[in-house]
Amino acid sequence: MHHDDSPPAPRPPRRSKLALTLALAVSASAALAGWLAWGAMSGAAESAPPTARPAPGPSASAPSPAAPGPSVAASSVAAPLAGRTVVIDPGHNPGNFKHPREINRLVDIGTNRKECDTTGTSTNSGYTEAAFTLDVSRRLRTLLQEQGATVVLTQDADRPYGPCIDERARIGNTAGADAVVSVHADGSAVGNRGFHVILPAVVKGGAADTSKIVGPSRALGESVAREFARATGSAPANYLGGGTGLDVRKDLGGLNLSTVPKVFVECGNMRDPKDVASLTDAAWRQRAAQGIAAGVRTYLRG
């Protein structure tokens, strides 16, 4: 209810003209300062990068990009023989001596016929070439696989005898091998020392045609001979090859029937006592495998 006799509401006190003038001056100054500050900031913003992040100074580090995956170069260093196939042919199955009839069977080697295989030689104390070649071949397989190669052995003492020399060649051919190395040890006279690498001669007859592999096989053989000497400290044979460590032959079916680069490595003479000291030493056999592996790698890497 409204009463006419209620006291009137109090009125705010009046400001003097001087106070009002001062208030307006302060307000204008603040506005001008704010405008100037905004202008400075706008100018800085126009010249700053869109991200408005300060560029890293000497002590700051810029954000690192995402780490890339392994490069082709890094992969090739880690596995230089990736994509390559190497066939290792350990000479003479350890079981051959139990199967004389089978290994004496004649097979076609293109230019003529020859025994399927032989038992191989041995030291005077009975350490067989077959045991030696299998040991070196297994070591060689490990080394090549560690470098990324696909490795096939023609035999791993996993069959009663053989394979015959014609089948050994077919295994390399069927695999499309980039290189084939047949591992052996010689059975020459006492005093005949050192290693040699056997290369295919130019042969054409029947199923044999080495014309396309003679050049590549020589390159492979020279590389293996060089690296074998370096790894083992052995000298080239003093009884053949004219000191080169290389011997060219046309009577070996394993070479005649090959359609891919192939060599034989005669690692030493099992009838010479000084060579035997090396051939029967496991550490030396490891070096022999390393030398052959290095030769194959150098050849395949060009």
Side-chain angles (χ1 to χ4, degrees):
M1 179 179 294
H2 176 69
H3 296 277
D4 293 338
D5 57 350
S6 299
R11 298 177 65 182
R14 292 184 178 181
R15 294 183 180 180
S16 66
K17 290 183 178 181
L18 177 59
L20 182 58
T21 301
L22 291 174
L24 290 173
V26 170
S27 176
S29 298
L32 176 61
W35 182 85
L36 292 173
W38 178 86
M41 291 177 63
S42 298
E46 289 174 1
S47 61
T51 58
R53 294 180 181 176
S59 61
S61 57
S64 301
S71 66
V72 174
S75 299
S76 64
V77 170
L81 299 183
R84 299 289 195 154
T85 299
V86 180
V87 171
I88 303 171
D89 180 28
H92 317 291
N93 189 313
N96 278 0
F97 74 96
K98 296 180 181 179
H99 299 271
R101 182 174 62 85
E102 289 86 351
I103 66 171
N104 286 327
R105 177 174 60 87
L106 299 180
V107 297
D108 184 7
I109 66 167
T111 54
N112 54 40
R113 296 176 68 81
K114 200 169 183 179
E115 292 84 359
C116 158
D117 203 357
T118 70
T119 59
T121 188
S122 67
T123 67
N124 291 335
S125 63
Y127 180 54
T128 65
E129 181 185 0
F132 169 83
T133 63
L134 198 56
D135 181 76
V136 172
S137 295
R138 287 169 174 168
R139 295 171 187 269
L140 177 57
R141 172 176 58 189
T142 298
L143 292 169
L144 293 173
Q145 287 177 335
E146 287 174 349
Q147 297 176 59
T150 298
V151 181
V152 177
L153 262 64
T154 59
Q155 60 93 10
D156 195 7
D158 52 355
R159 52 189 294 167
Y161 66 92
C164 296
I165 54 179
D166 56 343
E167 185 182 351
R168 289 173 184 267
R170 282 197 300 275
I171 291 171
N173 298 344
T174 301
D178 296 290
V180 183
V181 177
S182 191
V183 181
H184 290 263
D186 209 358
S188 189
V190 174
N192 289 346
R193 297 194 59 201
F195 74 91
H196 65 279
V197 179
I198 303 175
L199 313 176
V202 177
V203 172
K204 191 167 186 179
D209 184 358
T210 63
S211 57
K212 293 182 180 180
I213 69 163
V214 166
S217 296
R218 173 168 284 275
L220 171 61
E222 290 174 346
S223 181
V224 169
R226 181 174 59 253
E227 298 296 340
F228 188 91
R230 182 177 301 170
T232 63
S234 298
N238 61 7
Y239 58 100
L240 49 72
T244 65
L246 303 174
D247 185 32
V248 179
R249 291 176 59 173
K250 61 180 181 181
D251 62 325
L252 299 177
L255 295 180
N256 289 359
L257 299 175
S258 182
T259 59
V260 294
K262 182 173 182 178
V263 298
F264 281 44
V265 183
E266 298 281 358
C267 298
N269 179 14
M270 300 196 94
R271 294 296 182 177
D272 179 81
K274 292 181 179 178
D275 270 10
V276 168
S278 296
L279 299 172
T280 55
D281 177 41
W284 187 93
R285 292 197 298 273
Q286 181 65 22
R287 292 195 296 274
Q290 290 169 342
I292 297 171
V296 170
R297 181 181 65 246
T298 301
Y299 165 73
L300 293 179
R301 297 282 288 172

